[in-house]
Every structure is written in structure tokens, then in C-alpha cells.
Amino acid sequence: MSKTLSEGSFNAIADFFYQHSGIRLEASKRHLVVSRLAREAVRLQCATLNDYVALILAEPQGAEARHAVDVLTTNETYFFRESAHFKHLAQLLHHDPCTQALRAWSAAASSGEEAYSIAMTLARHAGLRPWEVVGTDLSTRVVAQARQGLYAAERCSRIALPDLKRWCLRGEGAHEGQVLMNRELRAKVRFEVGNLLEPMPELGQFDLIFLRNVLIYFEGEAKFRLVANVVRHLKPGAYLYTGHAEPLRGLHHGLQRIEPSIYRAL
């Protein structure tokens, strides 16, 4: 199969991906696009990558088009990424006497490591206060992985030993070298497919929202709309965590900056 992708096909697939995800694929990402789509073109026995792109665009709402969005979506995460946020959350819980149910949202959950990190933090520090974690992601593929809660052991190196012992089951036999999140923990974390550029009223309101390492992929009106869609799910006084490289300059939407990358809803 020819792995040559014409400029016209690249621009067409980049426009298609932008319309479905809000993420702009620049020319510098051309090699990534070719490498990811080539596997799918071979799977469908397309003669060229251009043929595969034409197939996607012929039915832009079809199953293969949705699969292409999954394939092109970058999902990179690990447990307890940007640990300062989890330290802040732990301190927040210790100083908050409230006993009402607490809800947290991992808004760009990827394969679930962030959501389970939030869950482990809540389990350790929320005391008797009931809680739940919701994770959403654009990719159906990574949402399925997150629901499974099964990870390569090396991805768990940042999990504290008490949490490893309490919540993580080491695999044996066919699952040697893997770790499964404990059923009790998985029961308190649910994952849904969701596009942050679209309203998701069914999610309800949250006390904590993690919106990290996703804004760097958006620009202009799309970034403004995404932040607005997320912030409307914050309860008054609730907290929003963003990536340390993702300041909300001009995008506050009624938020008060508490610390770098930590905001509170007014």
C-alpha cells in the first residue's frame, strides 16, 4: 500500500478532524497523521492513504469516520500527573467540614489514570463524605480502556505504596506485568464518551473539575467555547484545575485564580 498522502488529502482530513474535535492538525503533524492512518488503510485494504481519506469523507458521520477521530486523538497521561493538584485537593478536603456528597469530573480523562488518581485521593482524604468521579473523553477507544481499569505495571510507578496495596491488584498468568484497579474503586468511577466542545447537561454539577493538558490543543473561539462548556458545570465555590502550561488568560468565565493552574468558581 502506498503511504503517500497528498497535500489535498492532508488538508481534507485535517479539516474533518477539526470539525469533529476542535483540534487543528498543523503541517508539522503530517507524519503523525500518516503513521496512524496507514494502519487503518491496510486494515481496510485501501490501495493508498488518499483512498482511505476519501472513504472517511464519503461518510463523515459513519463508523469508520468515528474510528478515524479516535485514531488521530492523542491520549497521553499517567497516574498522579502534576502532583501539586492532588496535594492541594488533599489539603482542601482536610479543611472542609462539609458532609454533603462530593462530585469530581475528569473532563479529558483519556485512558482513566487521572480519574482513578482523583478517586484514590478522595478515598484517602474525604473521610466519611460520599463521593463519585466522572471521566469523559472524545475517544470511544480510551473510554473503553478506562472502564476496564487495567494498566501496565510500569504506568503505576507514581502511585503511593498505601494506595497500591489498597486499590491495585497485580496480575498473574496472562496478566503478568499488569495492574487492575480494585472493583470497589472502579464502582465509584464512571466513564462516558463526551465532546467538550458540545454541551453535556446530563453530567450535572461538580465540586471539582480537572481540565488538564487539553487546552494546549485548542485555539481562539474553540478554546473559549470549551472552557465555557466546562465551567458551567462548576458549583459556586467549586474548584477547577488546569495544566500548568495552560493559563486561562482572558478565559476566566467567572473564576478566581487561587494558585497557578487552580481556580475557584465565584
Side-chain angles (χ1 to χ4, degrees):
M1 187 209 75
S2 170
K3 292 187 178 181
T4 301
L5 184 67
S6 70
E7 183 174 354
S9 290
F10 173 78
N11 291 336
I13 197 66
D15 287 343
F16 161 82
F17 187 64
Y18 181 75
Q19 291 166 10
H20 284 74
S21 70
I23 300 172
R24 176 66 65 187
L25 292 170
E26 303 295 346
S28 60
K29 299 292 185 181
R30 187 171 184 143
H31 178 73
L32 179 145
V33 171
V34 168
S35 65
R36 293 191 178 181
L37 294 188
R39 295 190 297 269
E40 311 312 316
V42 169
R43 173 176 56 83
L44 293 181
Q45 299 182 326
C46 295
T48 69
L49 271 179
N50 295 328
D51 290 340
Y52 180 66
V53 170
L55 183 151
I56 292 169
L57 299 181
E59 196 175 350
Q61 302 300 326
E64 191 60 34
R66 293 194 298 271
H67 178 67
V69 172
D70 271 2
V71 168
L72 290 171
T73 302
T74 298
N75 301 104
E76 180 183 353
T77 187
Y78 47 85
F79 288 96
F80 291 96
R81 185 175 187 173
E82 301 192 50
S83 60
H85 290 152
F86 297 100
K87 292 178 181 177
H88 178 270
L89 175 54
Q91 293 170 357
L92 190 67
L93 292 169
H94 282 300
H95 291 94
D96 184 357
C98 181
T99 58
Q100 293 181 348
L102 186 151
R103 302 187 74 229
W105 179 20
S106 173
S110 186
S111 46
E113 288 91 330
E114 178 180 83
Y116 288 120
S117 298
I118 298 168
M120 283 184 263
T121 304
L122 295 177
R124 188 192 292 191
H125 299 286
L128 297 177
R129 186 175 182 180
W131 55 268
E132 72 164 334
V133 178
V134 178
T136 61
D137 200 273
L138 176 66
S139 169
T140 56
R141 172 178 52 86
V142 296
V143 166
Q145 290 177 331
R147 287 171 176 165
Q148 189 178 23
L150 184 66
Y151 302 95
E154 59 265 23
R155 297 182 70 85
C156 302
S157 60
R158 291 172 177 258
I159 301 177
L161 186 58
D163 288 332
L164 272 174
K165 290 181 176 180
R166 177 69 181 87
W167 302 115
C168 304
L169 306 174
R170 291 195 175 275
E172 298 178 352
H175 293 294
E176 183 74 30
Q178 293 180 302
V179 169
L180 178 67
M181 295 295 107
N182 178 295
R183 181 179 296 178
E184 182 184 349
L185 192 72
R186 296 202 316 272
K188 304 198 74 169
V189 185
R190 67 179 174 91
F191 294 94
E192 306 291 344
V193 176
N195 188 338
L196 297 178
L197 291 176
E198 299 174 358
M200 291 185 277
E202 69 282 359
L203 290 181
Q205 299 298 106
F206 293 92
D207 304 276
L208 308 161
I209 297 180
F210 283 62
L211 180 68
R212 307 188 308 167
N213 308 299
V214 62
L215 294 177
I216 56 174
Y217 298 109
F218 294 86
E219 57 189 24
E221 190 274 336
K223 181 184 287 189
F224 186 89
R225 179 155 49 103
L226 187 154
V227 173
N229 283 343
V230 170
V231 167
R232 64 167 52 102
H233 290 279
L234 282 169
K235 296 178 182 177
Y239 286 84
L240 174 72
Y241 299 89
T242 67
H244 282 93
E246 300 171 304
L248 297 183
R249 297 190 186 95
L251 299 169
H252 283 210
H253 295 284
L255 299 173
Q256 176 187 9
R257 182 177 177 273
I258 304 299
E259 296 179 19
S261 74
I262 300 176
Y263 301 84
R264 190 169 183 265
L266 300 174

